[in-house]
Structure formats: C-alpha cells, structure tokens
Amino acid sequence: MQKPKRNIAIIWGGDSSEFEVSRHSAEGLHAAFDKERYNIYLVMLRTGDWHVEFADQTTAKIDKNDFSFVHNGETVHIDFAYITIHGTPGENGLLQGYFDLLHIPYSTCSVLVEALTFDKFVLNNYLRGFGYNIADSILLRKGVPCHLSHQQIVERLGLPCFVKPTADGSSFGVSKVKTVEQLQPALEEAFKQNDEIMIEKFMDGTELAVGCYKTKQRSVVLPATEVVSENEFFDYDAKYNGQVEEITPARISPETALEVARLTSEIYDLLHCNGIVRVDYIVSREADGSDKVNILEVNTTPGMTSTSFIPQQMRAAGINITEALTEIVENQF
C-alpha cells in the first residue's frame, strides 16, 4: 500500500521590509519541490492574517491552535513547515517556538540559533569568542545616550564605516559613512528600521557567500559566490534589482576556497544549524599578500528565488534542488 503524501507548508510573508522578497522565495521553492512526493501548500503569514493560497486563487484561514486548515470540506494537518520568511517572525525564532509547541518539524534552525543569528551584533561577539575574524563594532540603542562622541567613534572604527540595524533581514537602513558629518544622518536612518543599531568597521576585500546544508547522511558545502556590486555596497538594489555581478564559483585561490568551505562547515556545526544556511565573508589582503577570511554574517533563511545565491550554487555544484529539498524534509523524520 502506498504511503500517503506528506503535507508541506511553504511559509512566506512576515512583517519586515522583505515581504515581496519572501513571496518570490516561496514561488521558487514551490516550483522546485517534488509534487509527486508531497502535497505542497503556500501559506502567507503576517500579523493578523494567516491563510493558505490555492491554485484557483481561493484561500483558507489557518487555525493557529494546530496550524491546520479546511480544504474541500476536509481538515488538512501540516507535516513539515518550510519557512522562507526573511525577517520577523520567521528569521528570529518566534515562528520556530510556535512550531516546537505544536511538534511540527521545520526547515530552519532552532529558536536559540535563529535569535542568535538574527542579531548581527550578538552573533559577531559570540563568534569572536571562538577566535574567528570579525570586524569591530559599536552597539547603540534608541533612547540610550552613547558614551562615545562621533569623533571618538570614527577614531576607533575609522572611515569609511557602516551603520546598520542589528536585527533586520534586509539592507534597508544600511549606510556607508565616509565622513564624520554623515554619521548622524546614517544613525537616524538606521533607527527608522530598528531600536538597536550597530556601527561597524569597514573591511576592504572580496565579498563571498557560501551555502551549506547537512543531513544524517551527508554534509554539503556549496561553491562560493563572489559578489561584485555596482553600488557602494551590497544594498537592496544590488540584491534585488540586478545592480550586481554574482560569480559562481568565486575567483579566489584554491586555498581560500578550501578555507571558506571549511569555515562554513565548522560554523554550521558550532551553531548547531539545520536546513540550508549561508555564511557571508569578506576576504581581505594581509601585509604579506596572503588572504584573511573575515566573517560578515550568517543567514539562516537565505533567499530561494531562481537567481538567489543558493540555487546558483547548487546548479554550479551539479546538485538537483528538488532532491536537496527532499533530503532536508526527510531528515526530520
């Protein structure tokens, strides 16, 4: 007798500025999943509105008591949640805690890991404690006076430097500051996005993104993508409006390629990650000409549109994305 298909919910939406990006990731995942093996449902989720979207344009409300819904007169229960919300509540641990209470397995890391990686300042200091190369940074909170003057901040971090929200899935509110006079407007812009922001030392070098996923059967580190932005940095337009060149595999030495792959696998294990994770780096040049690999951030809910880094890297590695998604789902059972 044939086993019944598992019901998979691809959950998109959220309450961040990347709502539309999440929609495109969900569409990419929906196209990639094995529909012969699974029943796939698109679930839009944001404050005050949780619903399933069917192919005929109809919708059904999600029962938050057990994350079920009614379709064609029958109650459907979800077996696995693939979370592709960029920002809150899918990337900061809130949704993961909800699914833990319901005992529904999901595609991302645990509550603790999601919360840790979502806060850039906290994550950077956590990883620095293990000896990784991390840029120096200063934390500011809205309404709390900073003990450093703008001049002291610049003396410590140098110019240019970056101002960014500590906990936001996008590049909104991020500024590259080149003069002391630009610092205050950059702080005000970042505070529009978040109550906590960070000022970070600029690292000059090659930006890389490396994907990774692991199951009980195998460990997969994907080839690095080199990010060459037409803009001052990898901002929203560069990410989503094509103002960037993405080269996979990256134009780096074999030794550096091996090092970033090793670090990615090591960080995945250190953080006890789950599902597909992307680690971003800046490779700078030491005085002796050798490469120095600096960790920029860890993204536990990377974009999954057809042009996103992870699908690009899977194609470059000869990995079938449909099979990879099946591996990730079945690893939870």
Side-chain angles (χ1 to χ4, degrees):
M1 183 178 175
Q2 190 175 10
K3 290 183 179 179
K5 291 183 179 180
R6 297 195 202 279
N7 295 323
I8 309 295
I10 299 174
I11 303 170
W12 69 277
D15 299 311
S16 82
S17 49
E18 288 193 286
F19 182 85
E20 287 301 320
V21 179
S22 178
R23 181 200 300 273
H24 294 314
S25 286
E27 290 168 351
L29 285 162
H30 187 272
F33 259 107
D34 185 348
K35 298 172 189 66
E36 294 296 316
R37 182 164 188 155
Y38 302 116
N39 296 315
I40 308 297
Y41 299 97
L42 283 170
V43 178
M44 198 287 290
L45 191 155
R46 59 182 167 188
T47 299
D49 184 9
W50 293 27
H51 68 261
V52 189
E53 302 170 324
F54 303 111
D56 62 2
Q57 307 302 310
T58 61
T59 63
K61 185 178 179 180
I62 292 286
D63 183 345
K64 295 180 183 178
N65 291 300
D66 59 4
F67 205 70
S68 66
F69 58 91
V70 176
H71 187 217
N72 294 330
E74 294 188 2
T75 300
V76 178
H77 294 274
I78 293 300
D79 299 305
F80 181 90
Y82 199 105
I83 301 169
T84 189
I85 291 176
H86 309 305
T88 187
E91 205 171 5
N92 57 1
L94 298 182
L95 195 55
Q96 288 77 7
Y98 166 77
F99 284 126
D100 283 341
L101 289 172
L102 297 180
H103 303 289
I104 296 175
Y106 46 83
S107 59
T108 66
C109 305
S110 67
V111 174
L112 175 61
V113 179
E114 290 295 324
L116 175 64
T117 55
F118 192 63
D119 190 310
K120 299 178 182 72
F121 185 82
V122 173
L123 176 68
N124 284 358
N125 282 280
Y126 180 79
L127 291 177
R128 186 182 287 111
F130 288 91
Y132 294 106
N133 297 322
I134 304 286
D136 188 18
S137 59
I138 296 168
L139 178 69
L140 299 180
R141 292 189 174 94
K142 185 177 287 188
V144 179
C146 179
H147 66 283
L148 297 174
S149 68
H150 288 181
Q151 187 60 45
Q152 288 173 317
I153 290 171
V154 168
E155 287 174 1
R156 172 172 158 181
L157 300 180
L159 290 172
C161 62
F162 278 102
V163 175
K164 61 181 71 172
T166 62
D168 189 40
S170 74
S171 294
F172 288 107
V174 179
S175 301
K176 186 176 181 179
V177 173
K178 298 179 179 179
T179 66
V180 177
E181 291 74 25
Q182 292 176 351
L183 188 56
Q184 185 59 36
L187 297 176
E188 292 171 3
E189 188 63 27
F191 273 129
K192 292 177 184 177
Q193 297 294 321
N194 202 272
D195 288 345
E196 287 192 354
I197 65 174
M198 60 191 284
I199 311 169
E200 188 174 58
K201 185 179 180 66
F202 171 68
M203 295 183 290
D204 189 19
T206 302
E207 184 167 350
L208 303 177
V210 185
C212 178
Y213 71 91
K214 300 191 180 190
T215 66
K216 300 179 186 75
Q217 284 72 41
R218 65 173 184 153
S219 172
V220 178
V221 180
L222 299 169
T225 296
E226 179 181 347
V227 182
V228 185
S229 176
E230 297 176 9
N231 304 334
E232 282 282 357
F233 58 96
F234 192 42
D235 61 7
Y236 187 90
D237 283 330
K239 281 183 179 180
Y240 305 120
N241 293 328
Q243 297 174 11
V244 67
E245 184 180 7
E246 298 166 1
I247 303 164
T248 309
R251 299 170 299 181
I252 52 179
S253 70
E255 294 78 16
T256 300
L258 285 172
E259 177 65 2
V260 294
R262 182 190 70 79
L263 286 172
T264 301
S265 179
E266 186 174 280
I267 290 167
Y268 192 104
D269 291 340
L270 173 67
L271 295 176
H272 196 56
C273 292
N274 178 58
I276 301 172
V277 167
R278 194 189 78 229
V279 184
D280 297 342
Y281 301 93
I282 294 289
V283 179
S284 57
R285 191 60 60 90
E286 295 278 48
D288 63 3
S290 62
D291 283 345
K292 178 182 179 182
V293 180
N294 308 277
I295 297 170
L296 194 56
E297 64 177 289
V298 178
N299 190 326
T300 59
T301 315
M304 292 298 288
T305 70
S306 61
T307 58
S308 295
F309 291 135
I310 298 300
Q312 281 186 52
Q313 292 170 11
M314 286 187 176
R315 288 193 294 270
I319 294 174
N320 183 298
I321 190 170
T322 299
E323 294 175 0
L325 291 173
T326 298
E327 285 182 71
I328 289 164
V329 171
E330 295 306 315
N331 190 58
Q332 299 298 314
F333 298 98

